[in-house]
């Protein structure tokens, strides 16, 4: 018996990165997975997003685990296609037990107001859309997990113009997720549906491995590379690691989706190698 045996879980941003490692691990633990990904780029986001080939690779990896992934190319900002994707999964699998609102962008380094809007609509409105699409199908024991970010919990995130307009939108979205999770856990508690946030520090995915992100850590270099950024990455931890692996985040997501966490709700779960305590605000916001 897997830890999620016969559960059905909806995952956004499933084509690569953390969304992919979640899908593969959930399948290994006996879950059936329903997933969406944009599989296209967003103009204000400097690094490329996932491709249809990435999504096909996730499907292949899930099937290698003996699992099934019903996937749809859909934008989390597009409520109609998102709701249709969830409906399709529920019709196919007959139920829905968990949700992981994982899809995200990080359009740093731009002064375009659209970057602010794109970050906020993908990273926060996309989470709300995902939760709303899934909510009618979740029964007692259901679990909602939303992905925030350590960076957004730290001082200097929402009030630092050097992050650019997209960086401000990103931080606002992720902070709002933290509040949303707290309040929604109160709303859904009586229905025995749990709601938690997971806040990763630097995570070894394409989002981190992009020149625009390297520049955040090495503003002193014109075109920094991974080698330039690596010595500075550990500033986001106390354990002197540059980043966590997506599988480390998946371990926490798996726990939150499983019945092992049946009384864990309204939590801000940081997978941050201690990055928060190192840089924490005098008065924690959440
Ligand atoms: N990588 C990090 O260092 C880090 C740190 C903290 C938080 N996070 C968060 O983790 C989440 C996943 O990021 P990742 O690290 O796996 O990066 P990633 O870029 O590899 O994955 C993000 C996925 O979301 C998809 N996506 C983007 N916009 C979408 C949209 N509008 N609709 C549907 N799908 C969309 C992308 O195509 C991609 O497959 C994000 O919410 C991100 O903010 C990442």
């Amino acid at each position: 018996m897997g830890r999620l045996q016969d559960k059905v879980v909806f995952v956004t941003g499933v084509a690569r990165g953390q969304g992919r490692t979640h899908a593969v691990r959930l399948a290994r633990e006996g879950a059936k997975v329903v997933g969406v990904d944009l599989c296209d780029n967003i103009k204000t986001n400097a690094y490329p997003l996932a491709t249809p080939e990435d999504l096909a690779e996730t499907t292949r990896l899930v099937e290698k685990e003996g699992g099934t992934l019903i996937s749809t190319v859909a934008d989390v900002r597009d409520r109609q296609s998102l709701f249709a994707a969830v409906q399709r999964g529920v019709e196919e699998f007959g139920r829905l037990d968990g949700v992981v609102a994982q899809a995200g962008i990080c359009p740093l380094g731009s002064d375009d107001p659209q970057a602010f809007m794109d970050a906020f609509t993908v990273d926060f409105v996309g989470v709300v859309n995902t939760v709303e699409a899934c909510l009618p199908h979740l029964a007692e024991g259901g679990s909602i997990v939303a992905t925030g970010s350590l960076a957004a919990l730290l001082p200097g995130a929402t009030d630092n113009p050097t992050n650019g307009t997209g960086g401000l939108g990103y931080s606002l979205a992720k902070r709002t997720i933290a509040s949303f999770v707290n309040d929604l856990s109160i709303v859904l508690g009586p229905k025995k549906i749990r709601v938690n946030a997971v806040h990763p520090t630097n995570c070894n995915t394409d989002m981190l491995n992009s020149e625009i992100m390297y520049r955040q850590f090495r503003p002193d270099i014109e075109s920094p590379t991974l080698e330039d950024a690596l010595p500075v990455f550990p500033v986001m931890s106390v354990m002197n690691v540059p980043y966590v692996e997506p599988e480390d985040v998946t371990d926490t997501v798996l726990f939150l989706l499983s019945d092992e966490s049946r009384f864990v709700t309204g939590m801000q779960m940081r997978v941050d190698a201690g990055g928060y305590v190192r840089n924490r605000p005098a008065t924690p916001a959440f």
Side-chain angles (χ1 to χ4, degrees), residues 14-282:
V14 79
R16 74 175 193 199
Q18 298 170 57
R20 175 187 283 167
T21 55
H22 299 344
V24 172
R25 182 70 191 279
L26 301 188
R28 193 180 308 152
E29 297 294 343
K32 298 182 179 79
V33 186
V34 184
V36 296
D37 202 289
L38 177 64
C39 293
D40 201 354
N41 293 325
I42 294 178
K43 228 164 83 188
T44 53
N45 197 65
Y47 59 92
L49 298 174
T51 63
E53 291 71 34
D54 290 324
L55 185 55
E57 176 63 4
T58 300
T59 305
R60 190 188 71 76
L61 292 169
V62 165
E63 288 173 356
K64 207 171 135 205
E65 298 290 341
T68 314
L69 168 66
I70 296 182
S71 70
T72 307
V73 172
D75 189 330
V76 292
R77 295 169 295 182
D78 175 358
R79 288 168 65 84
Q80 218 173 352
S81 49
L82 199 63
F83 278 55
V86 173
Q87 186 65 37
R88 187 176 155 222
V90 171
E91 276 165 19
E92 186 72 25
F93 293 139
R95 56 186 292 148
L96 186 67
D97 303 280
V99 187
V100 189
Q102 179 77 42
I105 58 171
C106 193
L108 296 171
S110 167
D111 59 2
D112 183 347
Q114 189 58 42
F116 178 89
M117 295 311 298
D118 288 343
F120 193 74
T121 52
V122 173
D123 294 339
F124 182 67
V125 180
V127 171
V128 175
N129 289 342
T130 302
V131 170
E132 205 173 344
C134 293
L135 208 45
H137 307 289
L138 291 174
E140 191 171 312
S143 173
I144 297 169
V145 181
T147 304
S149 171
L150 166 65
L153 303 181
L154 298 176
T158 44
D159 53 358
N160 185 354
T162 65
N163 288 335
T165 53
L168 292 175
Y170 180 86
S171 299
L172 179 63
K174 298 299 190 178
R175 277 182 176 240
T176 313
I177 284 174
S179 296
F180 179 67
V181 159
N182 279 348
D183 291 350
L184 192 62
S185 68
I186 296 171
V187 172
L188 296 179
K191 294 187 177 298
K192 309 272 189 304
I193 296 171
R194 300 178 295 104
V195 194
N196 294 286
V198 173
H199 299 285
T201 184
N202 296 340
C203 182
N204 192 16
T205 67
D206 290 313
M207 181 181 283
L208 181 70
N209 292 307
S210 60
E211 190 186 314
I212 198 74
M213 195 64 83
Y214 301 154
R215 221 176 292 153
Q216 282 295 110
F217 288 86
R218 294 303 305 264
D220 54 315
I221 297 179
E222 172 84 25
S223 296
T225 61
L226 174 61
E227 284 62 40
D228 297 321
L230 266 176
V232 188
F233 275 165
V235 73
M236 298 297 280
S237 83
V238 283
M239 300 177 79
N240 202 25
V241 290
Y243 41 67
V244 299
E245 295 297 336
E247 289 82 359
D248 295 310
V249 183
T250 295
D251 282 337
T252 297
V253 169
L254 173 63
F255 168 69
L256 292 173
L257 291 171
S258 78
D259 296 337
E260 296 156 24
S261 60
R262 68 195 181 114
F263 293 123
V264 178
T265 194
M267 290 289 282
Q268 311 290 330
M269 304 282 275
R270 301 183 304 266
V271 183
D272 69 348
Y276 180 78
V277 284
R278 174 178 185 158
N279 300 297
R280 69 186 184 278

